[in-house]
Amino acid sequence: QVQLVESGGGLVQAGGSLRLSCAASGTIFSINDMAWYRQAPGKPRELVASVNSGGRTNYADSVKARFTISRDNAKNTLYLQMSSLKPEDTAVYYCNAALRSGRFQPTRDYWGQGTQVTISS
């Protein structure tokens, strides 16, 4: 069984910073792409940033130059460093990982439970 557990959310003022973490645990053979998504009230879930197993990153235009995604493969942990935060960044942030739980298992998507990020103006 695989679990993704996010941490690091909270309430900060506009212009501030937060660092989110997502730890993957359980029976894990390999992790391919990892990503952060977010969902604001009344809006669909959107991709914030992703990083593949080789370290290549991709960002939504709205967060480029403000957010940095990274991963520690030895710890099966994903990070999102967020700076210059804006009220429009307020959302529940979800961790996503495409991984295999065994050598002969297919790649499946797993999701964390989400962590609330609230930016006050």
Side-chain angles (χ1 to χ4, degrees), residues 22-87:
C22 170
S25 63
T27 305
I28 298 171
F29 176 75
S30 64
I31 303 179
N32 299 333
D33 294 354
M34 302 185 81
W36 289 99
Y37 286 75
R38 67 185 181 187
Q39 187 167 21
K43 294 187 176 181
R45 190 172 296 190
E46 64 174 357
L47 176 67
V48 176
S50 65
V51 56
N52 68 11
S53 56
R56 177 173 290 184
T57 59
N58 178 58
Y59 295 92
D61 288 343
S62 59
V63 306
K64 279 181 182 176
R66 299 189 299 121
F67 290 10
T68 302
I69 190 171
S70 61
R71 60 192 283 176
D72 184 332
N73 292 329
K75 296 181 179 179
N76 289 337
T77 300
L78 179 70
Y79 303 99
L80 186 68
Q81 179 67 47
M82 306 185 292
S83 59
S84 301
L85 285 161
K86 305 175 181 180

Coordinates of all heavy atoms in Angstrom, one line a residue, residues 22-87:
C22 N 6.0 16.5 0.4 CA 5.1 15.3 0.2 C 6.0 14.1 0.3 O 6.9 13.9 -0.6 CB 4.4 15.4 -1.2 SG 3.6 13.9 -1.7
A23 N 5.7 13.3 1.3 CA 6.5 12.1 1.5 C 5.7 10.9 1.0 O 4.5 10.6 1.4 CB 6.8 11.9 2.9
A24 N 6.3 10.1 0.1 CA 5.7 8.8 -0.3 C 6.2 7.7 0.5 O 7.4 7.6 0.7 CB 6.0 8.6 -1.8
S25 N 5.3 6.8 0.9 CA 5.7 5.7 1.8 C 5.0 4.5 1.3 O 3.9 4.5 0.7 CB 5.5 6.0 3.2 OG 4.2 6.2 3.5
G26 N 5.4 3.3 1.8 CA 4.8 2.1 1.5 C 5.7 1.2 0.6 O 6.9 1.4 0.5
T27 N 5.0 0.4 -0.2 CA 5.7 -0.5 -1.1 C 5.9 0.2 -2.4 O 5.0 0.3 -3.2 CB 4.9 -1.8 -1.3 OG1 4.7 -2.4 -0.1 CG2 5.8 -2.8 -2.2
I28 N 7.1 0.7 -2.7 CA 7.4 1.5 -3.8 C 8.6 0.9 -4.6 O 9.7 0.8 -4.0 CB 7.7 3.0 -3.5 CG1 6.5 3.6 -2.8 CG2 8.1 3.8 -4.7 CD1 6.8 5.0 -2.2
F29 N 8.4 0.6 -5.8 CA 9.6 0.1 -6.6 C 10.2 1.2 -7.4 O 11.5 1.3 -7.4 CB 9.0 -0.9 -7.6 CG 10.1 -1.4 -8.6 CD1 11.1 -2.3 -8.1 CD2 10.2 -1.0 -9.9 CE1 12.1 -2.8 -9.0 CE2 11.1 -1.5 -10.8 CZ 12.1 -2.3 -10.3
S30 N 9.4 2.1 -8.0 CA 10.0 3.3 -8.7 C 9.0 4.4 -8.8 O 7.8 4.1 -8.8 CB 10.5 2.9 -10.1 OG 9.5 2.5 -10.9
I31 N 9.5 5.6 -8.8 CA 8.6 6.7 -9.0 C 9.0 7.5 -10.2 O 10.1 7.8 -10.4 CB 8.7 7.7 -7.8 CG1 8.3 7.0 -6.5 CG2 7.7 8.9 -8.0 CD1 8.4 7.9 -5.2
N32 N 8.0 7.7 -11.1 CA 8.3 8.4 -12.3 C 8.0 9.9 -12.1 O 8.7 10.5 -11.3 CB 7.4 7.8 -13.5 CG 7.8 6.4 -13.7 OD1 8.9 5.9 -13.5 ND2 6.8 5.6 -14.2
D33 N 7.0 10.4 -12.7 CA 6.7 11.8 -12.6 C 6.1 12.1 -11.2 O 5.3 11.3 -10.7 CB 5.7 12.3 -13.6 CG 6.3 12.3 -15.0 OD1 7.5 12.0 -15.2 OD2 5.6 12.6 -16.0
M34 N 6.4 13.3 -10.7 CA 5.7 13.8 -9.4 C 5.3 15.2 -9.7 O 5.9 15.9 -10.5 CB 6.7 13.7 -8.2 CG 7.2 12.4 -7.9 SD 8.2 12.3 -6.4 CE 6.9 12.2 -5.2
A35 N 4.2 15.6 -9.1 CA 3.7 16.9 -9.4 C 2.9 17.4 -8.2 O 2.5 16.7 -7.3 CB 2.7 16.8 -10.6
W36 N 2.7 18.7 -8.3 CA 1.8 19.5 -7.4 C 0.6 20.0 -8.2 O 0.8 20.6 -9.2 CB 2.5 20.6 -6.7 CG 3.5 20.2 -5.6 CD1 4.9 20.1 -5.8 CD2 3.2 19.8 -4.3 NE1 5.4 19.6 -4.6 CE2 4.5 19.5 -3.7 CE3 2.1 19.7 -3.5 CZ2 4.6 19.0 -2.4 CZ3 2.2 19.3 -2.2 CH2 3.4 18.9 -1.7
Y37 N -0.6 19.8 -7.7 CA -1.8 20.4 -8.2 C -2.4 21.2 -7.1 O -2.1 21.1 -5.9 CB -2.8 19.3 -8.6 CG -2.4 18.5 -9.9 CD1 -1.4 17.5 -9.9 CD2 -3.1 18.7 -11.1 CE1 -1.1 16.8 -11.0 CE2 -2.8 18.0 -12.2 CZ -1.8 17.1 -12.2 OH -1.5 16.4 -13.3
R38 N -3.3 22.1 -7.5 CA -4.1 22.9 -6.6 C -5.5 23.0 -7.0 O -5.8 23.0 -8.2 CB -3.4 24.2 -6.3 CG -3.4 25.2 -7.5 CD -2.7 26.4 -7.2 NE -2.7 27.4 -8.2 CZ -2.0 28.5 -8.2 NH1 -1.1 28.8 -7.2 NH2 -2.0 29.4 -9.3
Q39 N -6.4 23.2 -6.0 CA -7.8 23.4 -6.3 C -8.3 24.5 -5.4 O -8.3 24.3 -4.2 CB -8.6 22.2 -6.2 CG -10.0 22.3 -6.7 CD -10.7 21.0 -6.8 OE1 -10.3 19.9 -6.2 NE2 -11.8 20.9 -7.6
A40 N -8.7 25.6 -6.0 CA -9.4 26.7 -5.3 C -10.9 26.5 -5.3 O -11.4 25.8 -6.2 CB -9.1 28.0 -6.0
P41 N -11.6 27.1 -4.3 CA -13.0 26.9 -4.2 C -13.7 27.2 -5.5 O -13.5 28.3 -6.1 CB -13.4 27.8 -3.1 CG -12.2 27.9 -2.3 CD -11.1 27.9 -3.2
G42 N -14.6 26.3 -6.0 CA -15.3 26.6 -7.2 C -14.6 26.5 -8.5 O -15.1 26.9 -9.6
K43 N -13.3 26.1 -8.4 CA -12.5 26.0 -9.7 C -12.0 24.5 -9.8 O -11.9 23.8 -8.9 CB -11.3 26.9 -9.6 CG -11.7 28.4 -9.6 CD -10.5 29.3 -9.7 CE -10.8 30.7 -9.8 NZ -9.6 31.6 -9.9
P44 N -11.7 24.2 -11.1 CA -11.2 22.8 -11.3 C -9.7 22.7 -10.7 O -9.0 23.7 -10.6 CB -11.2 22.7 -12.8 CG -11.1 24.0 -13.3 CD -11.8 24.9 -12.3
R45 N -9.3 21.5 -10.5 CA -8.0 21.2 -10.1 C -7.0 21.5 -11.2 O -7.3 21.2 -12.4 CB -7.8 19.8 -9.7 CG -6.5 19.4 -9.0 CD -6.5 18.0 -8.4 NE -7.5 17.8 -7.3 CZ -7.5 16.8 -6.6 NH1 -6.7 15.8 -6.7 NH2 -8.5 16.7 -5.6
E46 N -5.9 22.2 -10.9 CA -5.0 22.6 -12.0 C -3.6 22.2 -11.6 O -3.2 22.1 -10.4 CB -5.0 24.1 -12.2 CG -4.6 24.9 -11.0 CD -4.5 26.4 -11.4 OE1 -4.7 26.8 -12.5 OE2 -4.2 27.2 -10.4
L47 N -2.8 21.9 -12.6 CA -1.4 21.5 -12.4 C -0.6 22.8 -12.1 O -0.7 23.8 -12.7 CB -0.8 20.9 -13.7 CG 0.7 20.6 -13.7 CD1 1.0 19.5 -12.7 CD2 1.2 20.2 -15.1
V48 N 0.2 22.7 -11.0 CA 1.0 23.8 -10.6 C 2.5 23.6 -11.1 O 3.0 24.5 -11.7 CB 1.1 23.9 -9.0 CG1 2.1 25.0 -8.6 CG2 -0.3 24.2 -8.5
A49 N 3.0 22.4 -10.9 CA 4.4 22.1 -11.3 C 4.6 20.6 -11.3 O 3.9 19.9 -10.6 CB 5.4 22.8 -10.4
S50 N 5.5 20.2 -12.1 CA 5.8 18.7 -12.2 C 7.3 18.6 -12.4 O 8.0 19.5 -12.8 CB 5.1 18.1 -13.3 OG 5.5 18.5 -14.6
V51 N 7.8 17.4 -12.0 CA 9.2 17.0 -12.2 C 9.3 15.6 -12.5 O 8.6 14.7 -11.8 CB 10.0 17.4 -10.9 CG1 9.5 16.7 -9.6 CG2 11.5 17.1 -11.1
N52 N 10.1 15.2 -13.5 CA 10.2 13.8 -13.8 C 11.3 13.2 -13.1 O 12.0 13.8 -12.3 CB 10.2 13.6 -15.4 CG 11.5 14.1 -16.0 OD1 12.5 14.5 -15.3 ND2 11.6 14.2 -17.3
S53 N 11.5 11.9 -13.3 CA 12.5 11.2 -12.6 C 13.9 11.7 -12.9 O 14.9 11.5 -12.1 CB 12.4 9.7 -12.9 OG 12.6 9.4 -14.3
G54 N 14.1 12.3 -14.0 CA 15.4 12.9 -14.4 C 15.6 14.3 -13.9 O 16.7 14.8 -14.2
G55 N 14.6 14.9 -13.3 CA 14.7 16.2 -12.8 C 14.2 17.3 -13.6 O 14.3 18.5 -13.3
R56 N 13.7 17.0 -14.8 CA 13.1 18.0 -15.7 C 11.8 18.5 -15.1 O 11.0 17.8 -14.6 CB 12.8 17.4 -17.1 CG 12.2 18.4 -18.0 CD 12.1 17.9 -19.4 NE 13.4 17.8 -20.0 CZ 13.5 17.4 -21.3 NH1 12.5 17.1 -22.1 NH2 14.8 17.4 -21.8
T57 N 11.7 19.9 -15.0 CA 10.6 20.5 -14.4 C 9.7 21.2 -15.4 O 10.1 21.6 -16.5 CB 11.1 21.5 -13.3 OG1 11.9 22.5 -14.0 CG2 11.9 20.8 -12.2
N58 N 8.5 21.4 -14.9 CA 7.5 22.1 -15.8 C 6.6 22.9 -14.8 O 6.3 22.4 -13.7 CB 6.6 21.1 -16.5 CG 5.6 21.8 -17.4 OD1 5.8 22.6 -18.2 ND2 4.3 21.5 -17.1
Y59 N 6.3 24.2 -15.2 CA 5.5 25.0 -14.3 C 4.3 25.7 -15.0 O 4.4 26.0 -16.2 CB 6.4 26.2 -13.8 CG 7.5 25.7 -12.9 CD1 8.8 25.5 -13.4 CD2 7.3 25.6 -11.5 CE1 9.8 25.1 -12.6 CE2 8.3 25.2 -10.7 CZ 9.6 24.9 -11.2 OH 10.6 24.5 -10.4
A60 N 3.3 25.9 -14.3 CA 2.2 26.7 -14.8 C 2.7 28.1 -15.0 O 3.5 28.6 -14.2 CB 1.0 26.6 -13.9
D61 N 2.2 28.8 -16.0 CA 2.6 30.2 -16.2 C 2.4 31.1 -15.0 O 3.2 32.0 -14.7 CB 1.9 30.8 -17.4 CG 2.3 30.2 -18.7 OD1 3.4 29.5 -18.8 OD2 1.6 30.3 -19.7
S62 N 1.3 30.8 -14.3 CA 1.0 31.7 -13.1 C 2.0 31.6 -12.0 O 2.0 32.4 -11.1 CB -0.4 31.3 -12.6 OG -0.5 30.0 -12.2
V63 N 2.8 30.5 -11.9 CA 3.7 30.4 -10.8 C 5.2 30.4 -11.2 O 6.1 30.4 -10.4 CB 3.5 29.1 -10.1 CG1 2.0 29.0 -9.6 CG2 3.9 27.8 -10.9
K64 N 5.5 30.5 -12.5 CA 6.8 30.6 -13.0 C 7.6 31.7 -12.3 O 7.1 32.8 -12.1 CB 6.9 30.7 -14.5 CG 6.7 29.5 -15.3 CD 6.7 29.7 -16.8 CE 6.5 28.4 -17.5 NZ 6.4 28.6 -19.0
A65 N 8.8 31.5 -11.9 CA 9.7 32.4 -11.3 C 9.4 32.7 -9.9 O 10.1 33.4 -9.2 CB 9.8 33.7 -12.1
R66 N 8.3 32.1 -9.4 CA 7.9 32.3 -8.0 C 8.0 30.9 -7.2 O 8.3 30.9 -6.0 CB 6.5 32.8 -7.8 CG 6.3 34.2 -8.4 CD 4.9 34.8 -8.1 NE 3.8 34.0 -8.6 CZ 2.9 33.5 -7.8 NH1 2.9 33.7 -6.4 NH2 1.9 32.8 -8.3
F67 N 7.7 29.8 -7.9 CA 7.6 28.5 -7.2 C 8.8 27.7 -7.8 O 9.1 27.8 -9.0 CB 6.3 27.8 -7.5 CG 5.1 28.4 -6.9 CD1 5.1 29.6 -6.2 CD2 3.9 27.7 -6.9 CE1 4.0 30.1 -5.6 CE2 2.8 28.2 -6.3 CZ 2.8 29.4 -5.6
T68 N 9.3 26.8 -6.9 CA 10.3 25.8 -7.3 C 10.0 24.5 -6.9 O 9.8 24.2 -5.7 CB 11.7 26.2 -6.8 OG1 12.1 27.6 -7.3 CG2 12.8 25.2 -7.3
I69 N 9.9 23.5 -7.8 CA 9.6 22.1 -7.5 C 10.9 21.4 -7.4 O 11.8 21.6 -8.3 CB 8.6 21.5 -8.5 CG1 8.1 20.1 -8.0 CG2 9.2 21.4 -9.9 CD1 6.9 19.6 -8.8
S70 N 11.0 20.4 -6.5 CA 12.2 19.6 -6.4 C 11.8 18.3 -5.8 O 10.8 18.2 -5.2 CB 13.3 20.3 -5.6 OG 12.9 20.5 -4.3
R71 N 12.7 17.3 -5.9 CA 12.4 16.0 -5.3 C 13.7 15.4 -4.8 O 14.8 15.7 -5.3 CB 11.8 15.1 -6.3 CG 12.6 14.8 -7.6 CD 11.8 14.1 -8.7 NE 11.6 12.7 -8.4 CZ 10.9 11.9 -9.2 NH1 10.3 12.4 -10.2 NH2 10.8 10.6 -8.9
D72 N 13.6 14.6 -3.7 CA 14.7 13.9 -3.2 C 14.4 12.4 -3.4 O 13.6 11.8 -2.7 CB 14.8 14.2 -1.7 CG 16.1 13.5 -1.1 OD1 16.5 12.4 -1.5 OD2 16.6 14.1 -0.1
N73 N 15.0 11.8 -4.4 CA 14.7 10.5 -4.8 C 15.1 9.5 -3.7 O 14.4 8.4 -3.5 CB 15.4 10.1 -6.1 CG 14.8 10.9 -7.3 OD1 13.6 11.2 -7.3 ND2 15.6 11.2 -8.3
A74 N 16.1 9.7 -2.9 CA 16.5 8.8 -1.9 C 15.5 8.8 -0.8 O 15.3 7.8 -0.1 CB 17.9 9.3 -1.3
K75 N 14.7 9.9 -0.6 CA 13.7 9.9 0.5 C 12.3 9.8 -0.1 O 11.4 9.9 0.7 CB 13.9 11.3 1.2 CG 15.2 11.4 2.0 CD 15.2 12.8 2.7 CE 16.5 12.9 3.5 NZ 16.5 14.2 4.2
N76 N 12.2 9.6 -1.4 CA 10.8 9.6 -2.0 C 10.0 10.8 -1.6 O 8.8 10.6 -1.2 CB 10.1 8.3 -1.6 CG 10.7 7.1 -2.3 OD1 11.4 7.2 -3.4 ND2 10.5 5.9 -1.8
T77 N 10.6 11.9 -1.6 CA 9.9 13.1 -1.1 C 9.9 14.2 -2.2 O 10.9 14.4 -2.9 CB 10.6 13.7 0.2 OG1 10.5 12.6 1.2 CG2 9.9 14.9 0.7
L78 N 8.8 14.9 -2.3 CA 8.6 16.0 -3.3 C 8.5 17.3 -2.5 O 7.9 17.3 -1.4 CB 7.4 15.7 -4.1 CG 7.0 16.8 -5.1 CD1 8.0 16.8 -6.3 CD2 5.6 16.5 -5.6
Y79 N 9.0 18.4 -3.0 CA 8.9 19.7 -2.4 C 8.3 20.7 -3.3 O 8.4 20.6 -4.6 CB 10.3 20.1 -1.9 CG 11.0 19.2 -1.0 CD1 12.0 18.3 -1.5 CD2 10.7 19.1 0.4 CE1 12.6 17.4 -0.7 CE2 11.3 18.2 1.2 CZ 12.3 17.4 0.7 OH 12.9 16.5 1.5
L80 N 7.8 21.7 -2.7 CA 7.4 22.9 -3.5 C 7.7 24.1 -2.7 O 7.1 24.4 -1.7 CB 5.9 22.9 -3.9 CG 5.4 24.0 -4.8 CD1 6.0 23.8 -6.2 CD2 3.9 24.1 -4.9
Q81 N 8.7 24.9 -3.1 CA 9.1 26.1 -2.5 C 8.3 27.2 -3.1 O 8.4 27.4 -4.4 CB 10.6 26.4 -2.6 CG 11.0 27.7 -2.0 CD 10.9 27.7 -0.5 OE1 11.3 26.8 0.2 NE2 10.3 28.7 0.1
M82 N 7.5 27.9 -2.4 CA 6.6 29.0 -2.9 C 7.0 30.3 -2.3 O 7.1 30.4 -1.1 CB 5.2 28.7 -2.6 CG 4.7 27.3 -3.0 SD 2.9 27.0 -2.7 CE 2.9 27.0 -0.9
S83 N 7.3 31.3 -3.2 CA 7.7 32.6 -2.7 C 6.8 33.7 -3.4 O 6.1 33.3 -4.4 CB 9.2 32.9 -2.9 OG 9.5 32.7 -4.3
S84 N 6.9 34.9 -2.9 CA 6.1 36.0 -3.5 C 4.7 35.6 -3.7 O 4.0 35.8 -4.7 CB 6.7 36.4 -4.9 OG 8.0 36.8 -4.7
L85 N 4.1 35.0 -2.6 CA 2.8 34.4 -2.7 C 1.7 35.5 -2.8 O 1.9 36.6 -2.3 CB 2.5 33.6 -1.4 CG 3.2 32.2 -1.4 CD1 3.3 31.6 0.0 CD2 2.5 31.3 -2.4
K86 N 0.7 35.2 -3.6 CA -0.4 36.1 -3.8 C -1.7 35.5 -3.3 O -1.8 34.3 -3.2 CB -0.5 36.3 -5.4 CG 0.8 36.7 -6.0 CD 0.6 36.8 -7.6 CE 1.8 37.2 -8.2 NZ 1.7 37.3 -9.7
P87 N -2.7 36.3 -3.1 CA -4.0 35.8 -2.6 C -4.6 34.8 -3.6 O -5.2 33.8 -3.2 CB -4.9 37.1 -2.5 CG -3.9 38.2 -2.2 CD -2.7 37.8 -3.0

